[in-house]
């Protein structure tokens, strides 16, 4: 009954060789996806541990759990780990790596060895960053603002930014690989407008990865030069300009948030049509919206600097562009909703995650409009309102989409089904816990509670307690999938090739797939998402 | 201080009133959209669940008119919102001419404030009700941010330059002052309070406390002590620009540029004298970087500002 | 005669070559974004301190910089010849060209090193010991020399990587490793080399020729 995967005679990419060496020297994009999944899961829980300590400290107004310095190192660690070691690689390097070649009918990415190198570079960067933490951490915030980071901080700044610098190269090489793959390796019949939206999303993300990440690398190098050589670039005492750092930093870091959210949108666009048994509404507008978000996203970085001392006119330009970038996002939300209309809907765990994503992303995005409004941002910036805004998008959005994608493609990746009841329980628990954690933070921000405070005036306590209580539920919600997904690897029901009756090319091959994905290169005959809501059937591509 | 839990912060300045109107409008708008989307998702999920008998014929997968509508309508709403918020924001930087200046120097981890008459405060700012106040701020070390939630104002305080913001209090009482830009170990402790008093009480308060001479008088004393008068006064043998009435005057520089002299220009001229050399003068002024503290510099600037009034009077 | 072999993930050698070419172009785009902030910093500094930058630029070794420009341009020409030779299967010519390219690259680095030494001795390196004779331009000159060392240093790093790549291919080809040093890979290396050369073509005038037009 509990047949082990190795008992099956059909060779697939998992059972053809179980040795550690075969895993660490693999060129197979599917195995590299697993390597990434294991590493980012480890980092996720380290970053989560930091968050746990933060929420425990914030349950009381006094700074009584940890010292101020320790708290500053905790929120810095949380930000650095979650942004660079978890969110940015998550969907592209795990799900993107696994699925992109299969979705376009290819045997692998364009440069498989480069793909493996990307993972090793990622691990190296991660180790440097963890090393900085082990050596006592850094206390600059993940934003490294100068002159504090260059001239005043006594923490392991150079070690930490070296880690982030190295991680950047992993991003760049993955993005390069995806771009060339999508351009050059599509199967016959797979035209651009037949591509699944997941491919579009990762393609646009890859463009941001290759163009924005080098700027971060250079900015961090300049930061190191100032800290080591005392060259006056950012420190006004030496003739430099602290706002120059902010411009350079946010030029990368704003597109970075689109790196984190576009792939999540791609995942939602795969799950929702499948469980609504209906083609995604407005496919072309969805594809154009993805490109629109990626391009306009490069032009809005100054909205992080409305009260920094930059000119009023610059602020106005950035505010206007920030409103414009919200339009394509709004279009996507409307289109996902319209996809449900006259569909034939079921509520599997992936669908619960995807619907949760749409709702929470919508709320996060709408609060983004509030922050883009210049006069309102003056009061709200640097408060918990901003923290709530970006967690709604990053956690309520990206993490939920990531988990939804993991569940949706779990049968394909492992050949096993996860336990559906536990999947639904976890999804609902995460949704509920998330809202309880972060909605009170909108109120706290409006009340005026600033960010990065380990101690606060007592009138903020009630909302903080609600938030910390929510965090405890959220934590359990995240531990559940860790448990039952691991369980399913050994005891889960065996999955057929296409348990969800989905239309993508990846579902036309076995679960798990053979090493080269397809016995023969498929020919694509149809557009994506050919679901018929009246009958509930699908026509594969 | 009102330490009881309340859902909405107090609204205690003219800016706060404008702010709250805009915020409420936006909350209603975004709330409506969020509610509508949620409602539609829930409604569709129930009505079109797999086993329902709803009609699914001609399920649409595109509709250009609707798609254009829900692109253009949000665009128009966004443009309107942008314009309204941008207007309010611009007002925050348009200082009323009769604003009372207060000088703020931030450092890790305290706020040092000085009124024009020399009255100093630490981590506290007393202001009169209904009187516009203009804050001229700089930092001695890292970036801080002057944040008063009840007034809905916030402005980063940056080392190496002056940033300004103005406010007009509309309620008496005490209000939180926070540092809102992470600045190191005791960032969370860099707090204070704003005390808004009736104008008569404020006038009385202003005269008490440390009986230091006013900023202008102190500035004049520093102007002599640091040797500025040695070169810049008329009877000096050194050819140096006349500083009387400098603030607000157009200055022609040796590299062809012109600018209007403001506080930042004077500060730069003292600390980086080679940066903007006046046309017709040699770049021989020594730098006072590292010698004059921020508060002293502000006092000297106040003295120079006061010569502008005399200058206007004597030149008539 | 032509190698029709290709890696397993591709369907044809032509597809592999197209992928390699697109790959190197995307990589060069990232390199542009890498150098971009430094060029932007230069633009910022030059527009704010035009006289200061001109004065600072006059202290660069324009003779050595000009020689280096000629060296690099020549090496690019030889690199192009190497690429064409490899495509036409003239492997001995290709090997010789590649070795010459590497030699010219090394010559560039040596000359650059001499320049750096002079500049270090004149205390133009923007560290604690920086000193600039014309006082009124000291702040601007410090910024200029920071950008000078930063940009030429980054360029030299990229050039070194290029030299190593070219030498590896040259040595491989001389030992008959025709599949390893195939035409497609030489083409990719050539594109990279031309990019390094192109960056220098921008660096040379903005660093060496400011303020030298009239005596």
């Amino acid at each position: 009954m509990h047949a082990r995967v190795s008992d099956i005679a059909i060779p697939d990419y998992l059972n053809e060789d179980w040795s550690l060496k075969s895993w660490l020297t693999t060129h197979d994009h599917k195995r590299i996806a697993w390597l990434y999944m294991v590493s980012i899961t480890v980092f996720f829980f380290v970053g989560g541990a930091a968050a746990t300590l933060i929420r425990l400290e914030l349950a009381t107004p006094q700074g009584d759990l940890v010292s101020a310095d320790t708290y500053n190192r905790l929120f810095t660690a949380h930000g650095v780990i979650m942004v660079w070691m978890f969110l940015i690689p998550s969907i592209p390097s795990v799900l993107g790596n696994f699925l992109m070649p299969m979705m376009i009918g290819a045997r692998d990415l364009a440069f498989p060895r480069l793909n493996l190198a990307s993972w090793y570079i990622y691990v190296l960067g991660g180790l440097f960053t963890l090393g900085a933490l082990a050596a006592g951490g850094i206390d600059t915030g993940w934003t490294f603002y100068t002159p504090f980071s260059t001239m005043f901080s006594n923490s392991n700044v150079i070690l930490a930014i070296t880690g982030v610098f190295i991680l950047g190269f992993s991003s760049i090489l993955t993005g390069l690989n995806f771009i060339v793959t999508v351009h050059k390796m599509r199967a016959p019949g797979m035209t651009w407008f037949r591509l699944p939206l997941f491919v579009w999303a990762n393609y646009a993300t890859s463009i941001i990865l290759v163009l924005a990440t080098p700027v971060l690398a250079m900015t961090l190098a300049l930061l190191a030069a100032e800290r080591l050589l005392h060259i006056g670039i950012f420190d006004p005492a030496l003739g430099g300009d602290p706002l120059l750092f902010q411009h350079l930093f946010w030029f990368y870091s704003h597109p970075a948030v689109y790196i984190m959210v576009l792939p999540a949108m791609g995942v939602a666009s795969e799950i929702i049509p499948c469980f609504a048994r209906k083609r995604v509404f407005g496919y072309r507008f969805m594809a154009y919206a993805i490109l629109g978000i990626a391009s306009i996203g490069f032009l809005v970085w100054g909205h992080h600097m409305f009260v920094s001392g930059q000119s009023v006119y610059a602020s106005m330009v950035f505010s206007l562009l920030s409103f414009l970038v919200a339009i394509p996002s709004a279009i996507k939300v409307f289109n996902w909703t319209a996809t449900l209309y006259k569909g034939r809907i079921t509520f599997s765990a992936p669908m619960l995650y995807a619907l949760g994503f749409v709702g929470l992303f919508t709320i996060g995005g709408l609060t983004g409009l509030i922050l883009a409004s210049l006069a309102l941002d003056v009061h709200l910036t640097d408060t918990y309102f901003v923290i709530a805004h970006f967690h709604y998008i990053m956690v309520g959005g990206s993490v939920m989409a990531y988990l939804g994608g993991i569940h949706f493609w779990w049968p394909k990746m492992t050949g096993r089904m996860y336990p559906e009841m536990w999947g639904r329980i976890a999804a609902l628990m995460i949704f509920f816990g998330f809202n309880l954690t972060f909605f009170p933070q909108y109120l706290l921000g409006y009340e005026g509670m600033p960010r990065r405070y380990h101690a606060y005036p007592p009138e903020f306590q009630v909302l903080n307690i609600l938030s910390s209580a929510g965090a405890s539920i959220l934590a359990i919600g995240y531990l559940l999938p860790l448990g039952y997904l691991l369980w399913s690897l050994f005891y889960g029901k065996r999955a057929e090739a296409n348990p969800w009756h989905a239309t993508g090319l990846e579902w036309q091959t076995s679960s798990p797939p053979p090493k080269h994905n397809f016995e023969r290169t498929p020919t694509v005959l149809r557009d994506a998402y050919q679901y018929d809501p009246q009958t509930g059937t699908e026509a594969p591509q | 201080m009102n330490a009881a839990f309340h859902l909405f912060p107090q609204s205690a300045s003219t800016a706060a009133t404008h702010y709250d109107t805009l915020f409420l409008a936006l909350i209603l708008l975004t709330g409506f959209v969020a509610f509508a989307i949620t409602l539609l998702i829930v409604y569709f999920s129930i009505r079109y669940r797999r086993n329902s008998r709803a009609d699914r014929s001609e399920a649409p997968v595109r509709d250009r008119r609707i798609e254009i509508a829900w692109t253009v309508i949000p665009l128009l709403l966004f443009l309107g919102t942008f314009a309204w918020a941008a207007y309010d924001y611009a007002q925050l930087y348009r200082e009323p001419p009769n604003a009372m200046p207060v000088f703020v120097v931030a450092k890790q981890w305290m706020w040092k404030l000085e009124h024009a008459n020399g009255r100093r405060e630490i981590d506290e700012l007393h202001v009169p009700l209904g009187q516009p106040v203009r804050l001229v701020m700089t930092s001695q070390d890292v970036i801080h941010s002057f944040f008063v939630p009840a007034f809905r104002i916030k402005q980063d305080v940056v080392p190496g330059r002056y940033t300004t913001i103005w406010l007009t209090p509309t309620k008496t009482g005490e209000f939180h002052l926070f540092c809102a830009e992470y600045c190191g170990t005791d960032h969370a402790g860099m707090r204070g309070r704003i005390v808004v008093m009736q104008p008569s009480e404020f006038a009385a308060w202003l005269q008490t406390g440390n009986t230091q001479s006013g900023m202008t008088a102190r500035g004049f004393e520093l102007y002599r002590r640091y040797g500025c008068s040695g070169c810049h006064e008329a009877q000096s043998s050194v050819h140096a620009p006349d500083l009387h009435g400098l603030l607000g005057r157009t200055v022609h520089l040796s590299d062809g540029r012109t600018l209007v002299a403001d506080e930042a220009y004077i500060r730069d001229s003292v600390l980086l004298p080679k940066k903007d050399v006046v046309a017709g003068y040699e770049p021989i002024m020594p730098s006072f970087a590292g010698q004059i503290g921020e508060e002293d510099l502000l006092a000297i600037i106040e003295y120079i500002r006061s010569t502008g009034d005399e200058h206007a009077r004597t030149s008539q | 005669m032509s190698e029709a072999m290709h890696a397993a993930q591709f369907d044809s050698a032509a597809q592999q070559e197209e992928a390699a070419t697109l790959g190197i172009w995307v990589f060069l785009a990232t390199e542009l974004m890498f150098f971009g902030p430094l060029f932007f910093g230069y633009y910022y500094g030059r527009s704010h301190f035009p006289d200061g930058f001109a004065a600072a630029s006059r202290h660069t070794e324009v003779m050595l910089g000009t020689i280096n420009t000629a060296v690099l341009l020549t090496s690019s020409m030889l690199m192009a010849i190497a690429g064409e030779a490899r495509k036409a299967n003239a492997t001995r010519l290709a090997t010789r060209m590649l070795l010459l390219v590497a030699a010219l690259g090394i010559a560039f680095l040596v000359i650059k090193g001499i320049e750096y030494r002079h500049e270090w001795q004149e205390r133009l390196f923007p560290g604690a010991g920086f000193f600039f004779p014309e006082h009124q331009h000291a702040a601007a000159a410090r910024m200029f020399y920071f950008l000078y060392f930063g940009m030429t240093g980054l360029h030299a790093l990229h050039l070194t990587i290029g030299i190593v790549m070219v030498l590896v291919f040259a040595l491989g080809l001389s030992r008959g490793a025709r599949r390893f040093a195939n035409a497609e890979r030489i083409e990719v290396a050539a594109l990279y080399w031309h990019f390094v050369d192109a960056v220098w073509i921008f660096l040379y005038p903005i660093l060496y020729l400011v303020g030298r037009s009239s005596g």
Side-chain angles (χ1 to χ4, degrees), chain A residues 321-529:
Chain A
L321 286 164
S322 302
F323 276 98
L324 293 182
V325 81
I327 301 271
S329 299
I331 289 173
K332 294 184 83 68
V333 169
F334 300 147
N335 283 17
W336 285 313
T337 309
T339 303
L340 298 174
Y341 176 65
K342 289 195 170 175
R344 186 173 291 272
I345 305 172
T346 53
F347 300 98
S348 61
M351 187 59 158
L352 291 177
Y353 279 112
L355 292 177
F357 163 85
V358 175
L360 297 177
F361 172 78
T362 302
I363 295 176
L366 289 170
T367 54
L369 290 176
I370 295 178
L371 290 168
S373 306
L374 285 163
L376 299 180
D377 189 69
V378 171
H379 175 66
L380 295 170
T381 193
D382 275 316
T383 67
Y384 263 82
F385 195 94
V386 178
I387 295 186
H389 160 73
F390 67 70
H391 281 92
Y392 260 79
I393 306 205
M394 296 293 114
V395 182
S398 297
V399 178
M400 286 199 68
Y402 172 70
L403 289 173
I406 293 289
H407 285 74
F408 183 56
W409 283 293
W410 192 253
K412 182 57 55 185
M413 294 169 74
T414 62
R416 301 278 187 160
M417 295 300 288
Y418 60 86
E420 182 63 37
M421 181 191 78
W422 282 105
R424 290 177 181 166
I425 289 175
L428 292 170
M429 204 166 183
I430 289 174
F431 184 83
F432 177 71
F434 171 85
N435 277 300
L436 185 58
T437 308
F438 289 104
F439 197 86
Q441 295 186 9
Y442 281 126
L443 302 173
L444 273 173
Y446 180 59
E447 292 275 291
M449 179 169 171
R451 295 173 68 164
R452 299 169 165 176
Y453 267 36
H454 72 298
Y456 51 81
E459 60 261 38
F460 295 141
Q461 183 172 21
V462 172
L463 290 168
N464 268 295
I465 288 184
L466 285 175
S467 180
S468 296
S472 62
I473 300 173
L474 192 58
I476 299 173
Y478 285 138
L479 288 169
L480 283 176
L482 188 66
Y484 64 70
L485 288 176
L486 275 172
W487 176 91
S488 75
L489 286 175
F490 303 102
Y491 305 112
K493 200 173 65 145
R494 276 202 196 288
E496 44 184 86
N498 192 357
W500 310 118
H501 298 282
T503 58
L505 285 179
E506 74 271 23
W507 299 105
Q508 306 315 311
T509 186
S510 59
S511 298
K515 182 168 171 194
H516 285 297
N517 301 338
F518 301 99
E519 299 306 322
R520 277 190 337 269
T521 302
T523 303
V524 176
L525 305 169
R526 282 177 279 267
D527 287 353
Y529 315 118

Side-chain angles (χ1 to χ4, degrees), chain C:
Chain C
M1 279 342 253
S2 65
E3 291 119 17
M5 308 217 36
H6 54 84
Q9 70 269 22
F10 294 106
D11 290 327
S12 70
Q15 187 190 35
Q16 176 172 309
E17 189 182 324
E18 278 183 46
T21 309
L22 178 60
I24 187 68
W25 279 107
V26 172
F27 179 71
L28 294 180
T30 76
E31 290 284 22
L32 207 59
M33 297 305 286
F34 209 56
F35 276 91
L38 291 175
F39 276 97
F40 175 76
Y42 175 89
Y43 166 76
Y44 173 86
R46 171 107 174 247
S47 53
H48 278 77
F49 307 110
D51 295 327
F53 266 43
S57 167
R58 279 192 280 270
H59 286 255
T60 58
E61 314 256 347
V62 66
M63 183 56 60
L64 293 179
T66 308
I67 293 174
N68 254 349
T69 307
V71 163
L72 215 51
L73 281 170
T74 309
S75 75
S76 253
M77 180 186 75
L78 298 179
M79 189 74 203
I81 295 174
E84 290 304 306
R86 183 65 190 91
K87 266 200 270 223
N89 262 315
T91 51
R92 280 235 310 262
L93 176 61
T95 309
R96 286 207 193 107
M97 288 294 111
L98 288 173
L99 286 170
L100 272 175
V101 167
L104 286 173
I106 292 170
F108 181 99
L109 289 177
V110 168
I111 297 174
K112 197 89 210 84
I114 295 172
E115 284 182 77
Y116 279 169
R117 207 173 65 125
H118 287 178
E119 276 135 10
W120 176 267
Q121 282 164 345
E122 284 173 46
R123 298 169 69 184
L124 290 172
F125 181 81
F130 180 80
F131 173 80
F132 193 70
E134 292 144 83
H135 292 283
Q136 71 274 28
H137 295 304
R142 195 190 180 117
M143 185 189 300
F144 175 91
Y145 276 99
F146 172 71
L147 287 164
Y148 167 84
F149 280 101
M151 290 163 104
T152 59
L154 191 63
H155 175 264
L157 176 66
H158 282 80
L159 184 63
T160 307
I161 294 171
I163 293 171
V164 168
M165 202 172 22
V166 165
L167 273 175
V168 164
F169 282 134
L171 291 172
L173 202 54
S174 71
R175 281 173 207 193
R178 295 160 65 96
R179 263 198 15 219
F180 169 72
N182 61 32
E184 170 195 303
R185 289 185 179 163
I186 306 290
E187 188 63 33
V188 164
L191 270 170
Y192 177 80
W193 193 268
H194 294 317
F195 173 77
V196 174
D197 188 21
V199 170
W200 180 259
I201 290 174
F202 280 89
L203 289 183
Y204 171 66
I206 70 173
L207 293 174
Y208 290 90
L209 301 183
V210 188
R212 287 193 204 261
S213 51
S214 49

Side-chain angles (χ1 to χ4, degrees), chain A residues 225 247 313 367 533:
Chain A
H247 280 294
Y313 300 108
T367 54

Side-chain angles (χ1 to χ4, degrees), chain A residues 336-347 351 355, chain B residues 34-50 52-56:
Chain A
W336 285 313
T337 309
T339 303
L340 298 174
Y341 176 65
K342 289 195 170 175
R344 186 173 291 272
I345 305 172
T346 53
F347 300 98
M351 187 59 158
L355 292 177
Chain B
F35 183 69
I37 299 273
T38 310
L39 193 68
L40 280 172
I41 292 179
V42 170
Y43 173 69
F44 289 159
S45 297
I46 298 174
R47 179 166 168 78
Y48 296 107
R49 67 194 186 283
R50 177 172 60 189
S52 78
R53 272 189 280 264
D55 175 30
R56 293 166 174 93

